[in-house]
Amino acid sequence: QLIWIAAISLVEGGIGVMNIMLVSVTERTREIGILRAIGASKKDISHVFNAETLIVGLAAGLIGIGVSLLINIPINMILHQLTNLTTLNASLPVVGGVILVAISMFLTFIAGLIPSRFAAKKDPVVALRTE
């Protein structure tokens, strides 16, 4: 049951990232036109937006790890009070944290592929005419 909730949350998060990136592409249409006019290829434009989604994924993953580490402090205090075991601690392994950040970056990258292709396909002349 919990796996389905997590899967739905991941899909919803991916749709949210995709919407944000589509808005970013729409708002930066003129910038895309300028880049294409000075010689940037479609692949270059796609790389710009893919890099942006990877940075968003990295930031989201690091914020999630930071929140998890902060939540561990009161959880450990409660555990110590309830069990009288000072050796019992909730913790986040370093390898697990790195894997979670990598998963966050991968999922945002996948969600950003469609907006980056949309940006790359924009016609430079039409993009320069938009305000």
Side-chain angles (χ1 to χ4, degrees):
Q1 302 289 336
L2 192 58
I3 292 173
W4 286 108
I5 293 172
I8 290 170
S9 297
L10 287 174
V11 169
E12 186 272 331
I15 291 170
V17 168
M18 195 180 305
N19 275 339
I20 289 170
M21 292 308 298
L22 282 171
V23 168
S24 176
V25 167
T26 303
E27 289 180 352
R28 293 164 58 189
T29 301
R30 189 164 180 85
E31 178 185 330
I32 293 166
I34 292 169
L35 287 172
R36 290 295 308 275
I38 63 172
S41 68
K42 289 181 179 185
K43 188 177 274 191
D44 292 334
I45 301 298
S46 182
H47 286 316
V48 167
F49 286 96
N50 286 336
E52 188 175 320
T53 57
L54 284 173
I55 291 169
V56 168
L58 175 66
L62 292 176
I63 290 170
I65 296 298
V67 169
S68 296
L69 292 175
L70 286 175
I71 289 176
N72 273 344
I73 296 168
I75 288 175
N76 284 330
M77 291 171 56
I78 293 169
L79 279 173
H80 295 162
Q81 282 186 344
L82 292 177
T83 63
N84 293 325
L85 298 172
T86 57
T87 58
L88 180 63
N89 288 316
S91 65
L92 178 65
V94 174
V95 174
V98 170
I99 290 171
L100 290 172
V101 170
I103 289 171
S104 172
M105 291 175 69
F106 175 74
L107 291 175
T108 56
F109 177 75
I110 296 299
L113 284 176
I114 293 172
S116 71
R117 287 188 181 152
F118 181 70
K121 289 182 179 180
K122 283 193 177 282
D123 183 30
V125 175
V126 173
L128 283 172
R129 286 185 189 157
T130 60
E131 287 287 329

